[in-house]
C-alpha cells in the first residue's frame, strides 16, 4: 500500500467518514474510496454493498482477486449531564472502545476536577451540537433529568439517526417527556426509539452500576443494529 | 471526539512508524472459515524489528505473520498467508480454536 493511500484513509477516518479500501491481491495495488465520493463503475456495486453491510469481503472482478475492506467511523458516546453516572461512564467508555464527550451547561457540574481525561463541553447542547452534529455512529445518553437541558439533544439525536438514544428518568418522567416531544411534533415512531428508563435491566443501583447498564445497552444497540436498511439505525 | 491519535489503532500506528523512518508492513485478515478469533478486515502493523500493534488472531499466529512480514518488508512483494488448525505433534503454527484464516501482508511504500 502506498503511504499516500494510508494517509488518505487515516484522514477520512479521523473525519468520521466511512471508507472502502480496495486491494488487488495479485499486484499489491490499493485504492481508498471515501463514502459519497466518486466510484469506478466496475467496483461501484461491490463498494456500495460493502458500505451498506459494513462487512469486508473478497471478490473476483474482471479477472482480479480483490479485497474490499470497510472502515466505519468508531462509535462515540455523547452524554448530556456532568453527573455522577457520567463520571463512571467516562472511565468505562474508553475501555470498551468508545470515544466520549460530555455536555452540560451547569459549570458547577462540568468541572475538570470531576472529569479529567474526557472531553467536557460546559455549554448548552443547543449551542454546541449545530457545530458538532450528532451522527449515525453516535450514541446519545441524556442524564440530567432536566427537560430544559435534555429535550433538545434527544430530538437532535432522533433526527440524526443516532444508533442509540437513551434518557434517564422513571417511567412517569419519561411519559411526560414523550408528551412534550409529541407536542413538539416528534412522531410516535421516533419517541419509541428512546430507551427509557435508561440501561439494560440488570438491577443496577449505584451510579457505577447504572453506567455499566447504560454502556451494555449502547453496545447491544451498536452490535444488533439493522444493517439491511439504514446503517446505524437502532432496531 | 478527542483528536489525539489512538495509540492502539494499527492503521495510525503504521503511519506514525513510517513517518519515523521505520520500514513497515500491514497485515490484514482477508478471509475466515469456521471459528476465527479476529474478524475479516482486522489489522496488524509490523515493523522490520518485529514490533507489532493490533492482531489478526487471538495471538496464535502473530509470530508467524511477523516473521513473514520481514520478507515482505525486504522484497516489497505482498503475500497471502493461510493458517489452519494447529498441528500439535509437529508444533506447527496454527489456530487452536479450529478455524482457518487467510492474511494479506503488504509493505507500506512511499
Amino acid at each position: 500500500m502506498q503511504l499516500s493511500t494510508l494517509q488518505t484513509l487515516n484522514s477520512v477516518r479521523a473525519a468520521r467518514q466511512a471508507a472502502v479500501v480496495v486491494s488487488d491481491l495479485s499486484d499489491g495495488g490499493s485504492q481508498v474510496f471515501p463514502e459519497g465520493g466518486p466510484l469506478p463503475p466496475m467496483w461501484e456495486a461491490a463498494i456500495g454493498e460493502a458500505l451498506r453491510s459494513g462487512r469486508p469481503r473478497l471478490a473476483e472482478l474482471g479477472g482480479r482477486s480483490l479485497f474490499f475492506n470497510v472502515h466505519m467511523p468508531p462509535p462515540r458516546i455523547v452524554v448530556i449531564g456532568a453527573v455522577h453516572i457520567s463520571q463512571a461512564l467516562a472511565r468505562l467508555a474508553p475501555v470498551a472502545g468508545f470515544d466520549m464527550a460530555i455536555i452540560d451547561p451547569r459549570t458547577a457540574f462540568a468541572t475538570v476536577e470531576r472529569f479529567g481525561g474526557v472531553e467536557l463541553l460546559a455549554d448548552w447542547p443547543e449551542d454546541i451540537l449545530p457545530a458538532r452534529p450528532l451522527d449515525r455512529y453516535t450514541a446519545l445518553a441524556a442524564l440530567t433529568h432536566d427537560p430544559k437541558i435534555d429535550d433538545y439533544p434527544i430530538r437532535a439525536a432522533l433526527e440524526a439517526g443516532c444508533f442509540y438514544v437513551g434518557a434517564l428518568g422513571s417511567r412517569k418522567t419519561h411519559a411526560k417527556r414523550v408528551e412534550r416531544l409529541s407536542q413538539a411534533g416528534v412522531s410516535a415512531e421516533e419517541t419509541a426509539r428512546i430507551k427509557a428508563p435508561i440501561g439494560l435491566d440488570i438491577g443496577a443501583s449505584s451510579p457505577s452500576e447504572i453506567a455499566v447498564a447504560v454502556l451494555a445497552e449502547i453496545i447491544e444497540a451498536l452490535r444488533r443494529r439493522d444493517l439491511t436498511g439504514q446503517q446505524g439505525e437502532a432496531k | 471526539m478527542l483528536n489525539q491519535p489512538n495509540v492502539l489503532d494499527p492503521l495510525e500506528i503504521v503511519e506514525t512508524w513510517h513517518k519515523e523512518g521505520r520500514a513497515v508492513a500491514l497485515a490484514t485478515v482477508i478471509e475466515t472459515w469456521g471459528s476465527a478469533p479476529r474478524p475479516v478486515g482486522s489489522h496488524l502493523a509490523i515493523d522490520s524489528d518485529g514490533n507489532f500493534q493490533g492482531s489478526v488472531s487471538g495471538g496464535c499466529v502473530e509470530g508467524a505473520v511477523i516473521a513473514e512480514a520481514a520478507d515482505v518488508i525486504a522484497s516489497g512483494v505482498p503475500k497471502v498467508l493461510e493458517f489452519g488448525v494447529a498441528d500439535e505433534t509437529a508444533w506447527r503454527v496454527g489456530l487452536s480454536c479450529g478455524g482457518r484464516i487467510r492474511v494479506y501482508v503488504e509493505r507500506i511504500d512511499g
Side-chain angles (χ1 to χ4, degrees):
Chain A
M1 186 188 284
Q2 289 298 313
L3 178 65
S4 56
T5 308
L6 177 66
Q7 285 171 328
T8 305
L9 174 63
N10 279 341
S11 62
V12 167
R13 291 166 72 235
R16 295 186 61 77
Q17 251 189 300
V20 172
V21 174
V22 184
S23 302
D24 188 327
L25 302 187
S26 46
D27 68 8
S30 52
Q31 286 174 262
V32 57
F33 299 97
E35 188 175 27
L39 302 175
M42 200 173 71
W43 295 348
E44 204 173 346
I47 291 172
E49 169 56 26
L51 283 170
R52 269 189 301 280
S53 69
R55 287 188 201 95
R57 68 183 185 99
L58 282 169
E60 297 288 332
L61 283 178
R64 292 159 156 231
S65 185
L66 304 167
F67 179 61
F68 294 82
N69 205 358
V70 196
H71 297 270
M72 293 297 195
R76 73 176 168 199
I77 303 173
V78 171
V79 174
I80 309 300
V83 298
H84 202 157
I85 296 169
S86 322
Q87 284 182 293
L89 205 48
R91 291 200 306 274
L92 296 170
V95 175
F98 292 88
D99 288 344
M100 185 170 147
I102 298 174
I103 303 174
D104 197 325
R106 302 167 298 179
T107 48
F109 286 78
T111 64
V112 180
E113 290 75 41
R114 302 178 69 224
F115 292 94
V118 62
E119 189 176 25
L120 190 59
L121 303 157
D123 221 328
W124 287 90
E126 289 87 324
D127 295 332
I128 287 167
L129 294 180
R132 328 174 48 131
L134 300 167
D135 61 28
R136 291 173 295 162
Y137 309 102
T138 302
L140 182 103
L143 304 179
T144 71
H145 279 120
D146 184 343
K148 287 198 303 297
I149 304 172
D150 280 352
D151 279 10
Y152 175 87
I154 289 171
R155 283 188 65 178
L158 293 172
E159 278 167 24
C162 284
F163 74 85
Y164 173 89
V165 185
L168 196 68
S170 64
R171 282 184 178 77
K172 206 169 146 189
T173 311
H174 185 59
K176 282 186 198 153
R177 173 164 36 223
V178 169
E179 204 180 306
R180 282 194 310 276
L181 292 171
S182 304
Q183 278 173 3
V186 182
S187 71
E189 196 186 10
E190 289 285 274
T191 53
R193 288 190 52 219
I194 304 169
K195 301 283 188 187
I198 199 167
L200 288 188
D201 185 5
I202 55 171
S205 161
S206 70
S208 301
E209 290 172 3
I210 294 167
V212 170
V214 170
L215 187 58
E217 193 172 56
I218 289 171
I219 293 168
E220 181 184 50
L222 177 71
R223 294 301 171 198
R224 294 193 175 150
R225 72 193 188 281
D226 185 5
L227 291 171
T228 56
Q230 229 188 322
Q231 177 73 44
E233 184 98 347
K235 270 187 200 175
Chain B
M1 274 181 155
L2 292 172
N3 287 324
Q4 295 158 355
N6 182 349
V7 291
L8 301 176
D9 183 319
L11 288 175
E12 285 181 22
I13 286 284
V14 85
E15 187 184 333
T16 306
W17 284 355
H18 190 283
K19 269 187 210 143
E20 291 169 0
R22 293 152 82 167
V24 289
L26 184 67
T28 309
V29 178
I30 57 169
E31 207 168 15
T32 65
W33 298 265
S35 166
R38 296 285 291 140
V40 173
S42 301
H43 288 299
L44 174 69
I46 307 132
D47 79 358
S48 53
D49 292 331
N51 295 301
F52 66 96
Q53 187 63 257
S55 65
V56 291
S57 75
C60 317
V61 302
E62 270 73 6
V65 174
I66 291 159
E68 293 283 351
D71 284 357
V72 172
I73 288 171
S75 69
V77 181
K79 273 188 186 179
V80 175
L81 312 171
E82 187 169 335
F83 299 95
V85 185
D87 180 343
E88 285 179 33
T89 51
W91 297 100
R92 214 186 66 195
V93 171
L95 300 169
S96 48
C97 46
R100 275 195 297 147
I101 60 170
R102 281 214 295 160
V103 178
Y104 179 61
V105 187
E106 61 188 318
R107 187 172 75 183
I108 304 298
D109 291 314

